Amino acid sequence: MKLRQAVIPAGASERAKEIARELQELGLDILTLSNPAFSLPSDWSGSLLIYDESVISSSNGRLLIRSAIHGGGAVLESEDKEMLRAIRRDLNLADDVKRLASAAALYRCIAFDASELSSLQSDMYWPRYSVSLFEKVQDLRYGENWHQRAALYAKPGGLGLYRAVKLNGKEMSYNNFVDAETVLEMLIDLSAYDGVPTNRPLAVIVKHANPCGVAYGRDLEEAYRWAFATDPKSAFGGVIGFNMKVDLATAEAIGDSFVEVLIAPGYEPEALDLLRRNKPNRRILDIGDMLQRKEELYKGHAFRSVFGGMMLQDYDREDILEWRVVTQRSPTPEENRALRFAWKVTKYVKSNALVYTTADRTIGIGSGQVSRVDSARFGAEKAEEHGLDTRGTVAATDSFFPFRDGLDRVHEAGATAVVHPGGSIRDREVIQAADEHGMAMVFTGMRHFRH
């Protein structure tokens, strides 16, 4: 499109006026609109509307922008230096440049409209009308599988792992983001109990969105070694996260292990050098202060697409509704600490989930089984496979035991206490089984399915 005139609304910023004067020197006529609401040009062909924040933030200004776009004109945001350079080079504006600038303007118009829509429904927890806006951050190599195309999008002003600083490695893949987000959630949740920070070194390892090792340690190296020991086989090609700056000793412990992604709030220079050495594909992310910005991360709702629509739900940020001992024996103080830890871990394991832990580390993780008794068996078998002993551990499971057989299997594994939501019609039968075994059992009143 050959540009002939630049249109500028009255009251536009000095920057917009400066651009108009520059374009006038290039040969464009200048049209100043005194009132956009009542002086919309009838013909926008060959016209370039220059707009800024003051224009797009008003309803009349957005009407003007839409009029220009729908009328075949071009639009220029006053801070769009790339488009301005294109216009300086050639007043014959390329179609692709014009379309992209129009799309950006409409996107921003819709963002303001969506904000107004939200305000009109502010008294509704679940609004009748929902508009979600996202801007593409990057194309991804592929989706969950090679044949699926994929891209990463961000909310306006949103916070997420795409804002982490990549210090090494290839671009993040679809599955990398899924696993790393699970790690980030766990680092946030396990860094505090009842709102009180633990300030304990923590390591989390995730594979296929399932934890395969979680541990606290006296230092970060110990936390990593204990987390890795839970299931070294599954940790191969996993995502590892830490809640503290990674030091040299921890980097040496990781060594040449195949790690898809490392995330931490910083790395000591010597540690970073070692983690990078001979590992050009190992992705290393610095998440900065994200662990302290959980309110921003959890802003809004979680949503899931379904055919023809989507479902919204609250993020699962809660922990326990109650802490009710239902057996004759109460947990010891050490068992209580272990049960709280196990309960947090099981929240992030795919259902049906059952985990065996001490107060500081996971011992066996039974994930993704359609039968809870199988999860209990699987977790114990995984521990045995890797030379760990479930005797003297505690167990946590994401929902109630529907029958006593699951509890019996936990007892056979050697666990001395168990925590779960309760709520089964057979709770009394399960409680009786725990009493028979001399186990302590706690109900939380809160379920943590994860699909």
Side-chain angles (χ1 to χ4, degrees):
M1 182 180 76
K2 176 71 172 178
L3 295 178
R4 297 193 311 272
Q5 72 171 354
V7 180
I8 181 168
S13 67
E14 283 304 315
R15 173 61 182 156
K17 294 175 183 176
E18 180 186 328
I19 292 172
R21 289 192 292 270
E22 181 183 345
L23 295 180
Q24 188 173 32
E25 293 176 3
L26 292 176
L28 296 188
D29 296 330
I30 303 300
L31 173 63
T32 300
L33 299 180
S34 58
N35 188 337
F38 301 105
S39 57
L40 295 178
S42 57
D43 182 11
W44 282 94
S45 58
S47 296
L48 173 71
L49 172 66
I50 303 170
Y51 71 94
D52 54 28
E53 194 72 18
S54 67
V55 175
I56 202 166
S57 62
S58 71
S59 56
N60 285 341
R62 295 196 292 279
L63 178 64
L64 177 63
I65 291 170
R66 287 186 167 98
S67 172
I69 293 171
H70 295 316
V75 292
L76 169 65
E77 202 275 323
S78 61
E79 299 301 324
D80 188 345
K81 296 177 182 178
E82 186 175 343
M83 183 175 178
L84 183 57
R85 282 195 294 268
I87 293 171
R88 286 171 180 153
R89 288 194 301 267
D90 191 348
L91 294 179
N92 284 297
L93 194 60
D95 266 357
D96 58 339
V97 174
K98 175 174 173 284
R99 284 199 308 271
L100 188 58
S102 296
L106 280 178
Y107 173 81
R108 296 200 61 203
C109 286
I110 294 168
F112 278 101
D113 291 343
S115 179
E116 291 184 6
L117 175 64
S118 178
S119 297
L120 290 171
Q121 303 174 95
S122 59
D123 60 335
M124 306 178 192
Y125 192 81
W126 297 113
R128 181 178 180 87
Y129 305 103
S130 177
V131 175
S132 298
L133 288 112
F134 298 91
E135 183 175 356
K136 191 172 80 170
V137 175
Q138 67 185 79
D139 290 315
L140 300 174
R141 290 172 62 203
Y142 46 80
E144 196 165 7
N145 299 293
W146 300 331
H147 62 280
Q148 295 171 269
R149 291 185 292 182
L152 173 67
Y153 285 77
K155 297 177 183 177
L159 177 67
L161 282 169
Y162 58 90
R163 290 191 179 274
V165 179
K166 185 166 71 68
L167 303 173
N168 191 68
K170 297 186 294 187
E171 290 300 320
M172 294 278 284
S173 72
Y174 181 100
N175 292 330
N176 290 157
F177 274 112
V178 172
D179 285 355
E181 182 134 313
T182 302
V183 171
L184 181 60
E185 281 193 276
M186 295 188 71
L187 290 174
I188 291 171
D189 199 356
L190 285 151
S191 290
Y193 288 79
D194 302 324
V196 180
T198 62
N199 298 318
R200 302 171 66 197
L202 169 67
V204 173
I205 306 175
V206 165
K207 179 78 168 290
H208 294 309
N210 262 314
C212 54
V214 186
Y216 298 110
R218 288 166 296 187
D219 52 43
L220 213 57
E221 178 195 359
E222 182 178 71
Y224 167 71
R225 290 189 184 280
W226 280 0
F228 184 80
T230 303
D231 191 349
K233 186 187 298 183
S234 297
F236 180 84
V239 175
I240 303 174
F242 301 99
N243 67 338
M244 297 179 178
K245 183 179 285 190
V246 175
D247 57 16
L248 182 59
T250 306
E252 288 173 338
I254 294 170
D256 288 331
S257 300
F258 175 36
V259 181
E260 282 280 359
V261 186
L262 281 166
I263 70 172
Y267 302 82
E268 291 182 356
E270 299 88 347
L272 184 58
D273 287 344
L274 181 60
L275 291 168
R276 284 171 165 166
R277 192 176 302 160
N278 301 320
K279 294 290 182 180
N281 294 330
R282 177 185 278 171
R283 301 163 181 88
I284 303 175
L285 303 184
D286 184 341
I287 59 173
D289 61 353
M290 280 189 201
L291 298 181
Q292 287 74 50
R293 299 170 67 184
K294 59 184 178 182
E295 296 306 321
E296 292 177 70
L297 290 167
Y298 284 112
K299 187 176 181 181
H301 298 96
F303 66 90
R304 187 168 193 160
S305 62
V306 294
F307 290 131
M310 68 172 178
M311 297 185 292
L312 294 177
Q313 67 171 347
D314 296 330
Y315 286 104
D316 186 7
R317 299 183 59 188
E318 302 301 323
D319 191 6
I320 55 176
L321 185 64
E322 60 180 351
W323 192 257
R324 181 162 59 96
V325 179
V326 294
T327 46
Q328 295 172 8
R329 183 174 79 78
S330 295
T332 65
E334 182 71 5
E335 285 174 333
N336 257 324
R337 284 205 315 127
L339 288 169
R340 289 300 304 272
F341 171 59
W343 182 241
K344 279 185 177 288
V345 173
T346 199
K347 175 179 174 180
Y348 298 95
V349 179
K350 296 290 187 180
S351 300
N352 286 311
L354 193 141
V355 301
Y356 298 95
T357 80
T358 67
D360 301 306
R361 58 185 291 197
T362 49
I363 300 298
I365 298 176
S367 59
Q369 304 302 303
V370 292
S371 162
R372 199 162 303 279
V373 69
D374 284 343
S375 295
R377 174 184 55 78
F378 182 54
E381 289 175 353
K382 290 291 285 184
E384 183 179 5
E385 177 187 353
H386 299 297
L388 300 178
D389 192 346
T390 51
R391 289 176 298 180
T393 61
V394 303
T397 188
D398 55 344
S399 189
F400 55 71
F401 288 102
F403 303 96
R404 67 169 288 167
D405 56 354
L407 190 281
D408 290 336
R409 186 66 187 84
V410 169
H411 169 67
E412 289 172 17
T416 61
V418 64
V419 58
H420 64 96
S424 167
I425 59 172
R426 295 183 179 84
D427 274 349
R428 181 170 295 181
E429 174 187 322
V430 177
I431 294 169
Q432 182 179 348
D435 285 333
E436 289 174 11
H437 299 315
M439 300 174 71
M441 181 182 287
V442 175
F443 283 1
T444 65
M446 184 169 287
R447 190 180 73 183
H448 287 302
F449 273 166
R450 193 172 179 93
H451 295 101

